[in-house]
Amino acid sequence: HERIGKNSRILLLKPASPQALQGAKELQADFREIWGMSLPILETGGAGRRNGDVLIASPANSGDYDWGDSRWPPVQNAEGYYLNASSSGIWVFGADDRGTYNGAQTLKQLIRRDAEGVYIKPVTIRDWPTMEFRGLHWFGGPQSWPFHQRMIDRVAAPLKINKMVYEVEYSQWDSQPKIWNPTRSTPKDQVRKTVAEARAHFIEPIPLIPTLGHTDWLFENGQNRAFSADRKNGHAYDPSLEESYNAVFGVMREAIDIFQPKWFHIGHDEVTTFGDFLPPAKVTEYFVKDVQKIHAWLAVKGIGTMVWGDELLHSTETRSSGNAYTLEDAKKRRAGMPKDVAIADWHYRGDADYPSVDLFQKGGHKVIGCTWSQPKNIRNFSKSLADQKAWGLLQTTWDGYGMRLDRVTGDTLMQYAAYVLAAEYSWNGGEPRLGKLGYNPMDAFLTFWDRKPDKAKAQPGFRVEFPAKRAVNDPARGPSANRALRGDDGFTLAGSLASTDNPASLTIPLGGREAKSLRFVWGTDFSVPVGTTVATLDAEYADGTSATLPIVYGRQIAAFDDVRTRPETTGVWTGESAAGEARERRAWTWANPSPAKPIKSITITSANTEAAPMLLEITGTK
């Protein structure tokens, strides 16, 4: 291992690029905040490097340095990097400036600690992204700045995301001061801070303001109804009235002032799915003219136009998200799109393929595939996009208009954990399969999000032997076909769908051991609703007292094919069934309320639900 010690330094070949310097600062912060080490950052010509140093270089300053590698430069692809850790030191070299920053992000994830201290395993990495566009879409809100700051710093930047589509229609606009919504609108200073934070991490900010449809924002508090296509409710503006564009362009000017964007996303999704606010016979004509008018307005300013793709598709052309009234409407709308309009093609199902990508690309458009929270959707769509050499992937977030810190680890955790999958698959072109990732995306997300000082240290423990073994032999459900955790089989309890031979309970003698905690590696064969009690855990102490705890599905235990993260559990193994479906083993730790009392035995009793408990391993800490 390459050890990082008290004399280690972070060296930047001078002159250091902004990307190299920012990467070094973030690496320094991780060493300090997580690993408790203080590494200075020094600019150098390369002389005086010693073991334990980290050397970071960009193309502009690497030519005269003796790398000792005949394959130099080892990576030339855009945003790529070369990372090497060996007995001669640690190198990070970017094929371009952004690649240097990307390499520093990977290095942060390779740091480990053992009994001898902090180290990085010997490794050589040559890496670059499959997709050029790797983005996240989200909203603002009155409490959004802390959310965005933490998400950019801890998640988006480390995962090498390079685009941010920030939906800002509900914001503080000087040209429309009366449309302020106290639960949705974002103060302008917060929008500016989020945009600046993205740029500081080399993430390109792209504003999104829905136009034509989904323009409820423009009619908040009863405003602007004179040019609403639906005078009563205000869902779409009337594209035949110039007043509509005076209002829209006024807000867009303010957004451009803040974002200074290369691209502007103007929405245009679901125009026909929320009522006939526009005359159905005129929708296609209005749609095309509206896009063309806004596109021309943006083009004069050197800004590209981006639109959602659903209204450009008919249901006969796509497996989902085809909202044009007729096939003829879809074709007319596509024919009316300027060729340099980028299509954000959203599909949220885990289909095997996505034919709309080819349809749009044959029309001459850049295509960004847009995914949501379903893992199969993210993996399969990414694979299709990579195979068709599309522009990239945009991971959407639909968690309401008000982004807040407390939303992230609540019921919508899956949406945010999906950021990990989107980053993985947009970088690697949809590979590997979900069951071959080797990690749980939710666990990984929480590790990034809840970045904490490393306190790992060895502690005395023991393994609990079962009194008998009952095999779990179905590789399509149970995990015993891959005995990564034990050299023998686990124990299966009773369940309404399990074998009638399975016992209702299992008592495991502990022989009077004291334990601070017991760690159960287990799962169930089938799922039940979250909150269902599937078993009871009873600990009997040597003094005759006991502790009892219900084992609740979705908290302490879950099915092996239910790969959603549970806040109280930890993933310990991921793999696939014989059919190629993702499977996972998770561990739950019981904190002994009476650690000084010797434990006589542990009894697990099934509640005889469909989710029969399958126990694989128990370990304890003293």
Side-chain angles (χ1 to χ4, degrees):
H1 298 339
E2 180 63 12
R3 294 286 169 183
I4 307 296
K6 63 180 181 180
N7 294 320
S8 295
R9 305 165 299 174
I10 301 172
L11 305 179
L12 297 174
L13 286 188
K14 60 183 181 183
S17 68
Q19 291 85 346
L21 180 59
Q22 180 65 21
K25 288 180 178 178
E26 293 180 28
L27 182 62
Q28 181 188 53
D30 268 29
F31 274 120
R32 180 181 63 251
E33 297 169 12
I34 298 177
W35 307 100
M37 306 187 70
S38 179
L39 273 65
I41 297 174
L42 304 174
E43 283 199 68
T44 175
R49 185 169 63 87
R50 57 196 184 214
N51 288 351
D53 284 345
V54 178
L55 181 65
I56 299 177
S58 296
N61 55 26
S62 62
D64 297 330
Y65 186 73
D66 181 11
W67 297 97
D69 190 333
S70 60
R71 292 169 291 179
W72 201 265
V75 175
Q76 300 183 41
N77 306 68
E79 293 196 51
Y81 63 91
Y82 169 83
L83 190 156
N84 179 268
S86 66
S87 58
S88 59
I90 302 165
W91 302 343
V92 176
F93 167 79
D96 51 27
D97 288 332
R98 176 60 202 243
T100 304
Y101 183 73
N102 290 338
Q105 302 309 311
T106 295
L107 183 59
K108 292 183 337 187
Q109 299 175 46
L110 298 178
I111 305 169
R112 297 290 185 271
R113 188 197 303 276
D114 62 13
E116 297 180 37
V118 175
Y119 69 92
I120 296 172
K121 281 186 176 182
V123 66
T124 298
I125 298 174
R126 292 174 173 86
D127 194 19
W128 57 90
T130 300
M131 299 185 195
E132 179 184 347
F133 188 113
R134 307 180 305 282
L136 298 180
H137 154 270
W138 52 42
F139 290 84
Q143 301 176 56
S144 60
W145 161 239
F147 165 92
H148 288 140
Q149 182 183 37
R150 186 168 174 177
M151 194 67 77
I152 290 170
D153 177 64
R154 295 193 179 186
V155 180
L159 292 176
K160 308 179 183 73
I161 294 297
N162 65 0
K163 300 286 190 293
M164 174 186 71
V165 176
Y166 183 7
E167 191 156 342
V168 292
E169 67 266 33
Y170 282 101
S171 293
Q172 180 185 31
W173 303 121
D174 295 340
S175 61
Q176 293 287 335
K178 294 183 180 181
I179 65 172
W180 175 266
N181 182 316
T183 63
R184 293 183 174 188
S185 297
T186 314
K188 190 177 282 189
D189 67 315
Q190 289 194 32
V191 178
R192 290 187 186 278
K193 287 196 288 188
T194 293
V195 169
E197 186 75 4
R199 289 200 184 280
H201 292 81
F202 312 104
I203 298 171
E204 179 186 342
I206 299 170
L208 193 166
I209 293 179
T211 53
L212 190 59
H214 277 308
T215 53
D216 308 56
W217 61 272
L218 194 55
F219 307 109
E220 278 289 315
N221 306 318
Q223 300 300 304
N224 301 315
R225 293 298 171 87
F227 53 82
S228 170
D230 171 29
R231 302 298 172 89
K232 181 178 179 181
N233 297 310
H235 290 291
Y237 58 73
D238 187 336
S240 68
L241 300 176
E242 195 60 31
E243 294 97 319
S244 298
Y245 296 101
N246 292 337
V248 168
F249 289 155
V251 170
M252 290 179 67
R253 284 190 192 93
E254 294 185 59
I256 290 170
D257 178 65
I258 296 172
F259 281 77
Q260 297 297 301
K262 297 177 182 177
W263 292 90
F264 203 120
H265 195 318
I266 64 171
H268 277 66
D269 61 319
E270 300 178 322
V271 173
T272 59
T273 60
F274 287 98
D276 296 333
F277 307 129
L278 301 171
K282 299 281 286 183
V283 168
T284 293
E285 177 188 345
Y286 282 154
F287 186 97
V288 170
K289 287 183 176 179
D290 189 74
V291 172
Q292 291 176 346
K293 187 178 184 72
I294 299 174
H295 167 270
W297 187 84
L298 288 169
V300 170
K301 299 168 175 56
I303 301 170
T305 299
M306 187 180 296
V307 300
W308 297 117
D310 59 297
E311 290 289 351
L312 303 172
L313 297 169
H314 184 250
S315 57
T316 59
E317 301 175 293
T318 177
R319 302 181 192 280
S320 64
S321 308
N323 287 329
Y325 286 133
T326 67
L327 179 59
E328 183 183 8
D329 282 322
K331 290 180 177 180
K332 285 182 177 179
R333 292 174 194 179
R334 291 199 298 271
M337 291 298 101
K339 299 302 182 185
D340 60 352
V341 168
I343 309 297
D345 184 24
W346 62 272
H347 302 279
Y348 299 152
R349 304 189 329 183
D351 296 321
D353 57 12
Y354 298 83
S356 53
V357 176
D358 182 59
L359 194 64
F360 287 134
Q361 291 196 142
K362 284 181 177 177
H365 299 283
K366 285 179 175 285
V367 177
I368 307 151
C370 304
T371 51
W372 193 12
S373 59
Q374 187 182 135
K376 278 188 179 180
N377 168 235
I378 300 170
R379 193 266 165 168
N380 292 356
F381 205 174
S382 296
K383 185 74 167 61
S384 184
L385 291 164
D387 290 346
Q388 297 178 76
K389 296 181 171 54
W391 192 16
L393 182 81
L394 176 64
Q395 180 64 30
T396 65
T397 310
W398 304 106
D399 187 22
Y401 286 90
M403 303 282 92
R404 306 193 311 266
L405 290 173
D406 62 351
R407 299 288 300 172
V408 175
T409 54
D411 294 338
T412 54
L413 170 61
M414 185 64 196
Q415 288 203 46
Y416 299 104
Y419 291 177
V420 176
L421 285 175
E424 174 83 54
Y425 285 134
S426 61
W427 186 274
N428 292 317
E431 297 294 347
R433 298 194 305 269
L434 287 163
K436 295 292 187 181
L437 283 172
Y439 65 86
N440 180 292
M442 286 191 176
D443 289 344
F445 172 81
L446 291 173
T447 298
F448 284 111
W449 182 254
D450 292 326
R451 186 173 67 188
K452 298 174 182 176
D454 176 70
K455 296 181 180 179
K457 62 179 180 179
Q459 50 186 327
F462 56 88
R463 171 173 286 175
V464 177
E465 295 298 327
F466 298 171
K469 311 293 188 299
R470 186 173 296 273
V472 182
N473 289 322
D474 183 357
R477 293 201 305 270
S480 66
N482 185 324
R483 300 174 184 177
L485 299 175
R486 293 179 63 91
D488 47 31
D489 294 313
F491 197 99
T492 311
L493 295 177
S496 61
L497 299 178
S499 169
T500 55
D501 294 335
N502 294 348
S505 65
L506 171 67
T507 297
I508 305 168
L510 262 68
R513 290 179 184 269
E514 294 181 3
K516 293 180 180 177
S517 65
L518 292 177
R519 185 172 183 258
F520 296 81
V521 178
W522 56 12
T524 66
D525 51 354
F526 293 103
S527 301
V528 291
V530 172
T532 303
T533 296
V534 300
T536 301
L537 175 68
D538 291 288
E540 184 180 356
Y541 298 103
D543 64 0
T545 61
S546 63
T548 302
L549 182 75
I551 304 303
V552 178
Y553 189 91
R555 292 186 60 187
Q556 294 94 354
I557 197 169
F560 294 114
D561 63 355
D562 185 349
V563 295
R564 295 170 293 179
T565 285
R566 311 301 175 182
E568 296 185 28
T569 64
T570 303
V572 295
W573 176 86
T574 60
E576 291 184 331
S577 70
E581 297 294 328
R583 295 292 182 265
E584 183 174 40
R585 301 172 181 174
R586 299 193 69 79
W588 168 71
T589 299
W590 173 64
N592 185 1
S594 304
K597 290 184 179 182
I599 302 174
K600 179 182 177 182
S601 65
I602 293 289
T603 298
I604 303 168
T605 303
S606 173
N608 204 40
T609 68
E610 294 178 6
M614 297 181 178
L615 181 63
L616 299 174
E617 183 177 70
I618 303 176
T619 55
T621 59
K622 298 178 180 178

